Amino acid sequence: LLQLASARPSTAADLDAFSMHRCSALVASAAPAASVPARVSAAAVPPALARVQFEGAPRSFASAAGGSWRSLTVCGLDGSSGSLEASLRKLREVRPQQVMLETCAQRRQLSDRVSSASATTAADAAAAASGGEAPRSPLSHADAIAAVHGGLRPGDVAAVVSAAGDIDAQVYTVDRPYQETQNRVARHLMLRPRELLTFARHSASVLSGGDPQEPLSRGVRELLESERERHMATEVLRRGVQGSDIFVICRAERETALRQLLDGGLSGTSASSSSSRVGGGGGEAARIWPLLLVLVYVLVPGYGSIFLAWRASRVVASFLPGPRELIFAAPAAPGEEATPAAAAGLPTPAAAAAAETGVAGGHGQ
């Protein structure tokens, strides 16, 4: 209703035409095309209200997207500035009503923080770049998530959101929450140490900017790629409004699969079942697997090795001899025969008396 009020229809005829347009969408989704009255099916939305979005509008889970939406555009970003500029130029040409991004609400908030932080240091970066060397921005939390678990980078998200705001398009986040993805990956790797080692090497290589030497296992790829693709396709089908132009921006690796799923590979039944299967078990209470993974593979081995080293040191120390007392004997006077005690290294009575006198004198001082 707020969006309808902000549209400010010029005449009552525009509002009536818009109502007929919505009625045609409702009738078309519930009845065959042959039974729809001509006046209702021919109703068109007025230009003044063409950009009004409704969250509660009927969604279509038809196998073909063309029968539900006016147009569907899928653009993939490969991480370069050229692909981003081409996607933004295509976005301005199409001027869609809905823009779907391969990210989640949490990562979008992180992207907003990163963009605001980078905006505050833009002057310093420009000054450093004018000196002859462009500064390299540090790797943020959102960048690490996008590199390891997939999704758009924070800079790309900020640029697309800004361009969508210029054309008054509604932006949606259609990817699975990254914490749920982390939880699923940790649960899969809990009892698979070999796959965990491969995943750790792959993540370290990606975060350092190099090319991964060995691919991920099939189970991890299913969690990071196939399940996320089905989840995003389901979200696009659920959020897409009939008769609107939809623009999907994702990573280049996900573009082909999303096109196939949205063009008819994901039917209504499979979409709903995929949504319930992929989205199930993602509550806060179930996100304990990353902590268990760290506990089992980091904390327990670390503290266990320290305890074993301490016990080994105690066993070795028990076999070593105890401390020895060093006894100093006074040498015999010239012409005096050494006593058996002095020869044996034991103190003589005179030396013992002198030592006691020295100790007593020391205490007295």
Side-chain angles (χ1 to χ4, degrees), residues 72-244:
L72 173 65
T73 306
V74 180
C75 289
L77 302 181
D78 57 4
S80 63
S81 58
S83 64
L84 178 60
E85 291 297 331
S87 299
L88 295 179
R89 185 165 54 253
K90 184 68 174 179
L91 178 65
R92 297 185 182 97
E93 293 176 358
V94 176
R95 300 185 65 87
Q97 289 82 27
Q98 293 180 291
V99 178
M100 312 287 186
L101 302 181
E102 185 190 353
T103 187
C104 61
Q106 300 167 347
R107 278 177 284 175
R108 183 177 176 182
Q109 293 178 359
L110 294 176
S111 302
D112 294 339
R113 296 176 186 175
V114 171
S115 60
S116 61
S118 61
T120 56
T121 58
D124 299 337
S130 61
E133 182 179 357
R136 183 178 180 181
S137 59
L139 188 68
S140 63
H141 184 199
D143 289 325
I145 295 172
V148 176
H149 296 92
L152 297 177
R153 299 185 306 176
D156 299 340
V157 173
V160 173
V161 170
S162 177
D166 295 339
I167 61 175
D168 297 331
Q170 188 73 23
V171 179
Y172 299 88
T173 57
V174 296
D175 198 1
R176 184 172 59 190
Y178 78 92
Q179 291 183 350
E180 184 177 346
T181 302
Q182 289 177 347
N183 184 68
R184 290 176 175 271
V185 172
R187 182 178 180 179
H188 176 79
L189 298 176
M190 177 61 67
L191 301 179
R192 297 174 175 88
R194 186 171 299 178
E195 294 186 15
L196 175 62
L197 184 60
T198 303
F199 180 76
R201 292 175 179 173
H202 183 276
S203 301
S205 178
V206 170
L207 293 176
S208 61
D211 296 330
Q213 299 297 327
E214 49 185 332
L216 295 173
S217 62
R218 183 177 181 180
V220 176
R221 291 185 59 186
E222 174 71 20
L223 295 172
L224 295 180
E225 298 176 4
S226 301
E227 284 193 2
R228 290 180 52 246
E229 291 166 358
R230 291 193 295 268
H231 182 91
M232 288 186 289
T234 303
E235 287 295 311
V236 172
L237 291 172
R238 186 177 68 87
R239 295 173 179 267
V241 179
Q242 294 183 358
S244 62

Side-chain angles (χ1 to χ4, degrees), residues 310-322:
W310 174 73
R311 291 298 299 175
S313 64
R314 292 291 301 272
V315 172
V316 172
S318 64
F319 289 100
L320 296 178

